[in-house]
């Protein structure tokens, strides 16, 4: 009796797995036949091999709810330009991260790093702050460390 129930369970399990596999295969065929492809606007930094956007460019980021023009700085990040040399009296704060920090869905002026920089500078007396984002969608801790070492230090 127990063996019979076990065989029924195995048959049902295999049928479910087979059904999911066939559904995913059909979805993949439909996507390929219709020619859908996500836009590839990124590039690889020729020196570091890390993912960046083309430096000093603007490109559209559009979805059903979002319509934004992404502006990249001279290093290929969605942020305003900063000088490499830090001026005296300037404190720099580096923000590393993934898509939340990158925030291609909003203009540079609306990035939380820009808002933080503005807030800090509104209260600073004799100091100036620069809050610099180094982020790319899909990054994790290891890649964030590499971005820190290659671009921020």
């Amino acid at each position: 009796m127990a063996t019979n129930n076990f065989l029924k369970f195995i048959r049902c399990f295999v049928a479910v797995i087979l059904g999911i596999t066939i559904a995913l295969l059909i979805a993949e065929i439909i996507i390929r036949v219709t020619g859908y492809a996500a836009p590839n606007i990124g590039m690889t930094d020729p020196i570091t091999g890390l993912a960046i956007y083309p430096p000093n460019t603007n490109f559209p980021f559009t979805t059903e709810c979002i319509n934004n023009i992404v502006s990249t700085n001279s290093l290929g990040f969605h942020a305003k330009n900063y000088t490499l040399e830090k001026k005296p009296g300037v404190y720099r704060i580096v923000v590393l991260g993934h898509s939340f920090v990158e925030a291609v869905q909003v203009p540079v002026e609306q990035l939380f790093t820009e808002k933080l920089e503005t807030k800090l500078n509104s209260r600073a007396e004799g100091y100036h702050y620069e809050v610099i984002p180094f982020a790319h969608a899909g990054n994790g801790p290891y890649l964030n460390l590499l971005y820190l070492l290659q671009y921020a230090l």
Side-chain angles (χ1 to χ4, degrees):
M1 184 82 130
T3 306
N4 199 14
N5 286 339
F6 181 72
L7 289 175
K8 280 184 180 180
F9 171 77
I10 293 295
R11 284 187 194 124
C12 287
F13 181 76
V14 169
V16 168
I17 295 299
L18 187 60
I20 290 172
T21 303
I22 290 171
L24 290 174
L25 183 61
I26 290 170
E28 179 72 22
I29 290 169
I30 290 170
I31 288 171
R32 289 182 186 252
V33 168
T34 59
Y36 174 80
N40 185 7
I41 50 176
M43 63 178 278
T44 302
D45 184 325
I47 297 170
T48 65
L50 296 169
I52 59 171
Y53 294 109
N56 299 315
T57 59
N58 297 315
F59 59 87
F61 180 85
T62 306
T63 66
E64 292 178 10
C65 326
I66 300 167
N67 188 11
N68 182 39
I69 301 297
V70 177
S71 300
T72 62
N73 62 17
S74 60
L75 294 175
F77 295 98
H78 180 50
K80 68 181 181 184
N81 274 314
Y82 293 92
T83 61
L84 291 178
E85 294 298 320
K86 184 175 73 88
K87 296 176 185 169
V90 172
Y91 290 92
R92 287 187 167 172
I93 300 169
V94 171
V95 181
L96 302 169
H98 48 73
S99 57
F100 182 78
V101 177
E102 180 187 46
V104 294
Q105 298 84 352
V106 299
V108 169
E109 301 78 31
Q110 293 180 7
L111 293 172
F112 82 89
T113 52
E114 286 294 311
K115 304 254 184 211
L116 177 59
E117 183 176 302
T118 301
K119 186 94 163 173
L120 289 171
N121 286 322
S122 71
R123 298 179 179 192
E125 294 182 21
Y127 303 112
H128 182 75
Y129 293 94
E130 294 177 342
V131 181
I132 308 171
F134 291 97
H136 202 280
N139 279 4
Y142 178 71
L143 286 174
N144 287 336
L145 175 63
L146 293 179
Y147 279 83
L148 175 69
L149 295 174
Q150 292 298 323
Y151 296 106
L153 297 181

